[in-house]
Amino acid sequence: MAVVPMSVAELTAVLAGAARRPAQWRALIAELGAALPAPGNSAADLLGRATTAPEDQLPVRELAALAADLARENAGLAEFLTALRHRTTLAAPDATHTANVIKDSTAVTGHVIQAGAIHGDVHLPPAAGPRPVPRQLLGTPPHFTDRTADLEALDALRAGHLATGPLLIAVTGPAGVGKTTLVSHWLRGLAAHYPDGQLYADLGAHAPGGPVRPGEVLGAFLRALGAAQVPAEPAEQAALWRTLTAGLRIAVMLDNALSAAQVRTLLPGAAGSLVVAAGRSRLTGLGVDGAAFHELGTLDPGAAVELLGRRVGGERVAREPAAARELVALCAGLPLAVCVAAARMAARPRQTVAALAGAMTQETGRLEVLQLGGERAVRSALDESYRCLPPATARAYRLLALPPLTVLTGPLVAAACAVPPSEADRLLDDLAEAHLLEDLGQDDDTRTARFRFHDLVRLHAAQCAQREETAAVRDRTVRRALEWYLATATAARALLSPTHRRLRRDYVFPVRPPAFADAGAALRWFDTGRGELMAAVRTAADRGWHSVTWQLVDSLQPLFLRLRPYDLWIEAHRLGLEAARRAGHPQGVSRMLTTGGSGLYNAGQLDEAVVWFTDALQDAKARGDRRAEAQALHGLAQSHRLAGRLPLAESLFAQALALREAIGHDRGAALSRLCLGDIALATDRPRQARSLLTRARTDLLAVPDPYDAARALAFLGRTHAHEAIGDHPTAERLLAQALEEFRATGSLHWQARVMEMLGQTAEDRGDAATARDRYGASLARYATLSPSDARRLEERIRNLAPPPATP
């Protein structure tokens, strides 16, 4: 009997199921690694990533695609996969994880086994592999106290929900009352009920830079669910969010919500999901969305005294019960105020409870603080803590509230406060010890400790800075912080794009950026810090620091090119272009127009891209800058190419090539040849395309520019598959090599595109089964990258000849 190995879809499903059982997962990966024929670097990397992070869907899908592809030429691997299919079919199904469900969309999830006769049309789309399961909720403190009645009330709201849509609960209450802690604690206890993930976002209702934009939150949520590319338009982002969450059971916490409209945009599409919005305002507008409401009150005196005792020691509080009751009354029953006061006492073990209560009474003048509102109670505790800080720590407390940045790290603090790194770390630890900063834990990649202000604490610190620091000092602090981001992003850009021409940087203060271990670490820093980086861009623009604005945007190019956050790409360049013009920097204007134009055409905004590149072309000609002129011509050509205007695009690419050759810009000339080769292939001139692409590949390898060299190789592979040449073995070999090179550079988009090209090549030679598998592998990648490309792949799969019936 002929050996029929598992398809990509089957193998992905088996790997996805095994990934949920650690012991089975490790055994299966070990067996697969042994069966792979002399695995190279790419296979070894995928095996390693899959072993250490089975919840990551990308290496699992790629491993399945690689194994299925290699099995076509390796009998031993094909036999292993055939045996694996048989073994999986005979295995007893796990009732929790392997139930098969045929949904209205005719998609099938879970493991597929023979189930007797099936009647009617059943379409099985390629498996997308396991989704990532985000666990983003904040930790809850060990001294969480009382709130039993509130937790029971939330449980009752959940139990009474009719699952016709996501359960939406608004938890409201005064500042410092503990909304974030309560909701985090409750949701953490419900993790088993929401197995597809728990998402968290701080909507920044009272942040110094204003509320967070919905697109930023949606982008973060989409990436957390595996979408590597986020659409530029808010409506498309929301649509993709609803699509990815349809059928999932997720819990979403929206902290510091400002309004019902802000929350409404972020509601998922799954009826089985839970959304909790926490805010100071009552959010009554969510009533039209079917929201349930819970108002969180202050702690009763007994619970507040218990919280104080947990923080400073029960015996210490028990010795002065009357003073303890007085102190928590001054704190207005607000957990934040109690914790700040307790941190002050913990730092002064000899101070009595009565002494601290007396100090707070003097500050407020009388005990009527209970009637003065939550913020006043917290400020009383903060004033006393601030007054007791050492001078250097008090100065850091004031200054760190000024930059509109959410996350504080040692290197950033060292730059903003102009202190040595060791001193910055000590200041952060001291402020966290005094309960003036929240400890967010270490960054997984850099192991750098991260902290943040509670918004009320930040407000207090900023008021201290306003009162005690001059305007010049306040401006210098913010400028130092932004210049640290500029220097660090510039260093990361140099590591990720060493062949790109570097424009000048204008620093007012000396900055020493941190060193990155490698290019991967630099890209991860861009990825995890994109929110902080965009806040820095906006702040620089708002303050009229034009050079910092456009230079910071310029330094973010690897973020835009590699990770493709189109909304941020376009917004940043609109700000950067205006800033470069106001700064009177011609090269900056040119760079903003061309790199911003690239963002526009990549986002599908082709008409506006043509305008930007036309402006860049006119500007370059007026200044006599031939290199910039060639860059503008190339971008203009690419805009017309994507719009389908091939003759015009070819003419413009040819002009760009001639200019680049004349000025000796070898890499630019190679890129123009690559694009001309693409057009020649698209217009049925394969031999001309082969000549152009071969030269482009050689020149790009010499630069070296491995990313664009891989692009040239991919087009070269498709050229050999053209019917006028018909060299399919060479086409397959070149495309397989290009796929390996794109895996090495981390380009998910081009991995998907090359798998599509491999599918086209198989279809060209009449192998529909192989084409289907390769299109399926491409679709699995495109599903989290580009909805439009995913739709194209679905159409390709539908147009293939149906697979032969299984006897």
Side-chain angles (χ1 to χ4, degrees):
M1 184 173 65
V3 174
V4 182
M6 298 179 79
S7 68
V8 174
E10 290 177 289
L11 183 52
T12 302
V14 171
L15 292 176
R20 301 186 180 100
R21 307 169 185 83
Q24 180 180 341
W25 176 251
R26 289 191 294 271
L28 179 56
I29 289 297
E31 289 182 75
L32 181 57
L36 287 170
N41 292 336
S42 177
D45 176 63
L46 289 174
L47 286 166
R49 289 162 58 197
T51 301
T52 57
E55 72 282 356
D56 186 350
Q57 65 171 338
L58 184 59
V60 171
R61 291 201 308 265
E62 292 189 358
L63 190 59
L66 178 64
D69 196 46
L70 292 174
R72 302 186 188 286
E73 299 178 1
N74 185 281
L77 179 59
E79 290 176 0
F80 169 77
L81 296 184
T82 301
L84 181 61
R85 173 199 283 124
H86 181 67
R87 191 171 75 195
T88 305
T89 303
L90 293 180
D94 183 298
T96 303
H97 295 298
T98 59
N100 295 309
V101 181
I102 300 181
K103 301 180 179 180
D104 292 340
S105 62
T106 69
V108 175
T109 62
H111 292 172
V112 180
I113 62 174
Q114 179 61 40
I118 299 176
H119 302 283
D121 295 330
V122 180
H123 304 284
L124 305 180
R131 292 178 181 271
V133 181
R135 299 294 181 192
Q136 299 180 345
L137 294 179
L138 301 180
T140 53
H143 53 265
F144 182 79
T145 303
D146 195 37
R147 300 303 192 189
T148 302
D150 295 293
L151 293 172
E152 290 176 349
L154 292 174
D155 285 337
L157 290 175
R158 181 173 171 272
H161 174 61
L162 299 176
T164 56
L167 170 58
L168 173 59
I169 299 175
V171 176
T172 61
V177 79
K179 298 181 293 296
T180 300
T181 300
L182 173 73
V183 174
S184 298
H185 179 83
W186 183 58
L187 290 179
R188 279 181 168 274
L190 296 174
H193 297 278
Y194 300 97
D196 296 313
Q198 296 169 309
L199 297 160
Y200 172 86
D202 185 342
L203 302 187
H206 307 282
V212 176
R213 305 178 188 196
E216 294 179 41
V217 179
L218 283 173
F221 282 176
L222 290 169
R223 288 187 294 273
L225 291 176
Q229 187 169 304
V230 176
E233 297 299 324
E236 293 181 9
Q237 294 169 353
L240 182 57
W241 165 240
R242 291 190 296 271
T243 298
L244 288 184
T245 55
L248 298 184
R249 292 183 61 83
I250 59 174
V252 181
M253 180 177 176
L254 303 175
D255 205 2
N256 290 310
L258 178 66
S259 66
Q262 188 187 30
V263 171
R264 190 172 293 119
T265 307
L266 304 172
L267 296 179
S273 292
L274 168 63
V275 179
V276 183
R280 297 185 201 175
S281 64
R282 300 189 65 182
L283 302 174
T284 53
L286 291 175
V288 299
D289 301 284
F293 296 89
H294 180 76
E295 186 168 356
L296 186 61
T298 58
L299 292 173
D300 64 50
V305 170
E306 180 185 350
L307 176 58
L308 179 68
R310 290 189 179 187
R311 295 283 298 176
V312 302
E315 292 183 2
R316 193 174 175 187
V317 170
R319 287 195 296 266
E320 302 177 79
R325 288 192 295 273
E326 181 183 1
L327 179 61
V328 299
L330 284 164
C331 292
L334 293 170
L336 176 60
V338 174
C339 288
V340 172
R344 180 69 264 140
M345 287 186 61
R348 293 177 167 235
R350 295 183 180 179
Q351 184 183 40
T352 64
V353 180
L356 179 58
M360 289 182 63
T361 301
Q362 292 172 7
E363 172 64 24
T364 58
R366 48 185 177 166
L367 292 181
E368 292 177 358
V369 68
L370 276 169
Q371 284 75 42
L372 297 179
E375 294 190 27
R376 184 67 181 85
V378 174
R379 196 179 78 176
S380 298
L382 289 172
D383 283 342
E384 173 59 20
S385 287
Y386 174 65
R387 200 164 40 243
C388 297
L389 291 176
T393 308
R395 174 179 177 270
Y397 175 70
R398 296 191 299 269
L399 298 183
L400 293 178
L402 297 174
L405 306 170
T406 303
V407 179
L408 300 173
T409 63
L412 173 59
V413 170
C417 297
V419 297
S422 59
E423 175 71 3
D425 291 336
R426 184 191 66 77
L427 292 170
L428 285 170
D429 288 339
D430 288 350
L431 290 170
E433 188 67 24
H435 209 77
L436 298 174
L437 288 179
E438 299 176 52
D439 189 343
L440 299 178
Q442 288 187 333
D443 179 86
D444 291 338
D445 191 49
T446 64
R447 300 300 176 189
T448 301
R450 302 174 306 137
F451 301 85
R452 74 172 185 178
F453 280 109
H454 185 284
D455 56 358
L456 280 186
V457 181
R458 179 192 284 274
L459 176 62
H460 178 269
Q463 289 171 344
C464 292
Q466 189 73 26
R467 184 174 61 245
E468 300 178 41
E469 301 288 356
T470 66
V473 169
R474 297 196 300 270
D475 282 347
R476 282 201 299 269
T477 301
V478 177
R479 180 83 181 219
R480 286 180 186 275
L482 299 192
E483 289 191 358
W484 179 84
Y485 270 105
L486 172 60
T488 305
T490 298
R493 186 190 199 281
L495 194 59
L496 288 161
S497 306
T499 61
H500 290 201
R501 183 172 58 160
R502 302 178 194 179
L503 299 183
R504 81 184 196 198
R505 296 291 183 258
D506 300 310
Y507 298 106
V508 174
F509 302 101
V511 183
R512 179 179 296 178
F516 292 99
D518 51 33
L523 188 59
R524 286 189 293 275
W525 180 80
F526 274 129
D527 190 10
T528 58
R530 66 179 76 193
E532 305 295 301
L533 289 162
M534 280 303 300
V537 170
R538 293 171 188 139
T539 300
D542 289 343
R543 287 177 170 261
W545 293 339
H546 305 310
S547 294
V548 176
T549 303
W550 77 259
Q551 290 170 15
L552 188 52
V553 174
D554 181 48
S555 72
L556 301 185
Q557 290 313 304
L559 166 64
F560 301 137
L561 290 169
R562 303 284 186 94
L563 304 177
R564 309 254 171 158
Y566 293 138
D567 53 339
L568 301 184
W569 191 343
I570 294 170
E571 179 196 352
H573 280 82
R574 294 194 197 284
L575 295 173
L577 177 59
E578 177 67 18
R581 283 172 170 161
R582 289 181 177 273
H585 193 288
Q587 287 185 318
V589 171
S590 178
R591 179 66 65 86
M592 291 298 99
L593 284 169
T594 53
T595 56
S598 298
L600 288 164
Y601 70 56
N602 274 296
Q605 299 180 20
L606 301 178
D607 291 340
E608 190 172 1
V610 168
V611 172
W612 281 49
F613 283 116
T614 300
D615 288 348
L617 180 61
Q618 293 172 348
D619 172 76
K621 286 181 175 180
R623 293 185 292 107
D625 187 338
R626 302 181 74 194
R627 184 180 178 119
E629 182 181 349
Q631 181 72 14
L633 282 167
H634 186 95
L636 191 58
Q638 190 72 299
S639 302
H640 288 298
R641 164 73 178 94
L642 292 172
R645 297 184 281 267
L646 300 189
L648 177 56
E650 186 170 27
S651 171
L652 291 168
F653 278 131
Q655 294 176 51
L657 174 60
L659 261 178
R660 286 169 163 174
E661 287 181 325
I663 62 177
H665 184 197
D666 295 337
R667 176 179 173 274
L671 291 175
S672 295
R673 286 193 184 89
L674 190 162
C675 294
L676 285 167
D678 170 35
I679 290 180
L681 179 61
T683 52
D684 290 325
R685 291 171 286 158
R687 290 181 174 79
Q688 181 183 356
R690 182 171 59 185
S691 175
L692 287 163
L693 293 167
T694 300
R695 172 75 182 277
R697 165 79 173 174
T698 300
D699 291 348
L700 288 167
L701 287 174
V703 171
D705 181 351
Y707 172 82
D708 287 309
R711 289 177 57 220
L713 185 64
F715 284 122
L716 196 56
R718 280 300 294 152
T719 299
H720 281 86
H722 192 281
E723 61 181 358
I725 296 178
D727 186 353
H728 291 103
T730 299
E732 295 271 353
R733 177 177 57 81
L734 296 180
L735 287 168
Q737 183 181 344
L739 183 60
E740 289 298 310
E741 292 181 12
F742 282 124
R743 284 184 177 130
T745 62
S747 173
L748 300 178
H749 178 87
W750 272 94
Q751 289 174 41
R753 189 164 181 189
V754 172
M755 286 305 304
E756 181 181 3
M757 291 178 172
L758 282 164
Q760 290 175 275
T761 303
E763 188 175 3
D764 289 343
R765 66 171 193 270
D767 187 349
T770 299
R772 181 174 288 102
D773 277 350
R774 289 173 174 175
Y775 287 152
S778 176
L779 177 60
R781 290 165 174 80
Y782 273 137
T784 59
L785 291 170
S786 170
S788 59
D789 286 319
R791 289 192 292 271
R792 187 182 68 252
L793 264 295
E794 290 167 349
E795 183 66 21
R796 284 192 183 280
I797 293 170
R798 281 194 294 269
N799 290 335
L800 283 172
T806 303

